[in-house]
Amino acid sequence: MESLKKSQVALQPFTKWTGGKRQLLSVIKSLMPEKYNNYFEPFVGGGALFFDLAPEIAYINDLNGELINCYQQIKDNPSGLIELLVSHKVNNSKEYYLDLRSADRDGRLNLMSDTERAARILYMLRVDFNGLYRVNSKNQFNVPYGRYKNPKIVDEPLILAISDYLNHNAITILNNDFETAVEKVKTGDFVYFDPPYIPLSETSAFTSYTHEGFSYEDQVRLRDTFKKLDEKGAYVMLSNSSSPLVRELYKEFQIYTVEATRTNGAKSTSRGKISEIIVTNYEK
């Protein structure tokens, strides 16, 4: 298969992902430094900002190994991935989805190749309820089947365009803790943190899209990492909820309030207009 150049297909996220930043791109970009060296995104998720910027040198990371495997397979084996996704599209049904979902319960997942695992996750995120990635305490995917009439399970031009981009630029793909992911940051580099958000209410559970979860202690550790990067002379930006806890953690930095629309919460009460904040260690 011939790869398509970036000029032919606009780069964008290859999957739905909870907390994606596509709708806030213009705001985020307006608050970015005009010039910077290397790009770092330790919680890359669906990569909305990353793909929009398409930097020549970047370090992208996520603790979710299944997601990072998707990036790696798009880079290394796009044709094999597309072939499997076409098969999933042909077979798509509620019964087929539930059977494939149970692969992490009956041992089949451990027998799958990395490309098969990537195709499984990408297919499920296209057809499951609200495009959610959610696992239970046993790290088993547990999102029900969605009600899409014609889900776009295979986007061959986009996968090939992303593969071409990843292979023709210096993009390092990591599956580590966020602290490890920023170890190579130097003065003048740009770091964008988009972590699981602190809940707006005490009754809310922390966003947990990895089996390990993300605690308040992790949020404090992230703030401390933000400070260390500031001391290194890097440009640092962070998104989070407008929780008083977040504002307290980052009170010594620049805080901007933005309006966002959540579209893929598990409950209707968790969707709709919501205030978020963007923190920077520099004035804009």
Side-chain angles (χ1 to χ4, degrees):
M1 291 185 183
E2 289 187 5
S3 62
L4 300 176
K5 298 301 180 184
K6 182 188 170 189
S7 59
Q8 292 177 270
V9 178
L11 298 184
Q12 60 183 7
F14 53 82
T15 186
K16 296 178 181 178
W17 199 253
T18 301
K21 290 294 178 290
R22 293 177 76 171
Q23 59 168 306
L24 288 177
L25 282 178
S26 60
V27 177
I28 292 171
K29 287 163 68 177
S30 72
L31 294 174
M32 285 179 62
E34 291 180 10
K35 293 182 180 180
Y36 55 88
N37 297 326
N38 300 333
Y39 178 89
F40 288 77
E41 191 167 351
F43 301 91
V44 70
L49 181 61
F50 167 65
F51 286 125
D52 188 81
L53 296 172
E56 293 181 4
I57 303 175
Y59 295 79
I60 59 171
N61 175 81
D62 206 282
L63 192 58
N64 188 312
E66 294 294 329
L67 174 66
I68 286 300
N69 179 51
C70 291
Y71 279 90
Q72 200 66 56
Q73 296 312 305
I74 289 173
K75 178 181 180 180
D76 296 341
N77 190 16
S79 58
L81 182 62
I82 289 166
E83 187 176 329
L84 289 168
L85 287 171
V86 168
S87 178
H88 289 323
K89 179 181 179 180
V90 170
N91 291 292
N92 179 40
S93 69
K94 182 177 181 179
E95 293 70 30
Y96 181 79
Y97 168 84
L98 293 175
D99 177 69
L100 194 61
R101 190 185 73 172
S102 67
D104 59 12
R105 292 162 169 79
D106 58 23
R108 280 180 292 155
L109 189 65
N110 297 326
L111 302 176
M112 289 182 179
S113 68
D114 288 342
T115 308
E116 287 171 334
R117 289 176 74 122
R120 172 180 175 267
I121 285 296
L122 291 178
Y123 160 68
M124 292 198 302
L125 289 172
R126 284 294 179 183
V127 302
D128 74 358
F129 177 74
N130 270 347
L132 290 173
Y133 184 104
R134 187 184 66 200
V135 292
N136 61 22
S137 60
K138 295 181 180 179
N139 205 26
Q140 297 167 337
F141 199 85
N142 64 356
V143 184
Y145 189 66
R147 295 181 179 178
Y148 304 104
K149 287 186 177 180
N150 188 28
K152 191 165 190 177
I153 295 169
V154 190
D155 192 336
E156 181 174 346
L158 178 61
I159 289 174
L160 292 176
I162 292 174
S163 184
D164 184 73
Y165 163 68
L166 293 176
N167 280 292
H168 288 88
N169 292 278
I171 311 301
T172 302
I173 302 170
L174 302 168
N175 175 214
N176 292 318
D177 178 79
F178 65 85
E179 276 193 270
T180 305
V182 296
E183 285 179 347
K184 293 187 177 181
V185 173
K186 296 176 181 177
T187 302
D189 289 343
F190 175 70
V191 185
Y192 174 53
F193 289 113
D194 184 26
Y197 282 12
I198 287 182
L200 282 171
S201 67
E202 293 180 8
T203 56
S204 298
F206 275 93
T207 301
S208 178
Y209 64 89
T210 63
H211 183 43
E212 295 82 2
F214 203 80
S215 67
Y216 179 70
E217 288 71 27
D218 288 321
Q219 297 280 356
V220 173
R221 189 163 60 90
L222 176 57
R223 189 277 316 275
D224 293 343
T225 301
F226 191 106
K227 283 187 174 182
K228 289 175 185 174
L229 294 173
D230 175 51
E231 291 163 3
K232 272 190 173 185
Y235 298 104
V236 195
M237 176 186 285
L238 173 138
S239 298
N240 214 314
S241 68
S242 61
S243 160
L245 286 174
V246 181
R247 293 180 179 276
E248 177 62 26
L249 283 172
Y250 294 94
K251 61 185 178 184
E252 65 190 87
F253 298 104
Q254 305 293 322
I255 297 178
Y256 304 88
T257 302
V258 297
E259 293 295 318
T261 303
R262 290 185 181 171
T263 58
N264 62 348
K267 299 177 181 178
S268 59
T269 52
S270 62
R271 300 194 291 271
K273 291 283 185 182
I274 195 86
S275 287
E276 299 184 3
I277 64 171
I278 294 175
V279 183
T280 68
N281 69 329
Y282 52 88
E283 291 190 17
K284 187 67 177 173

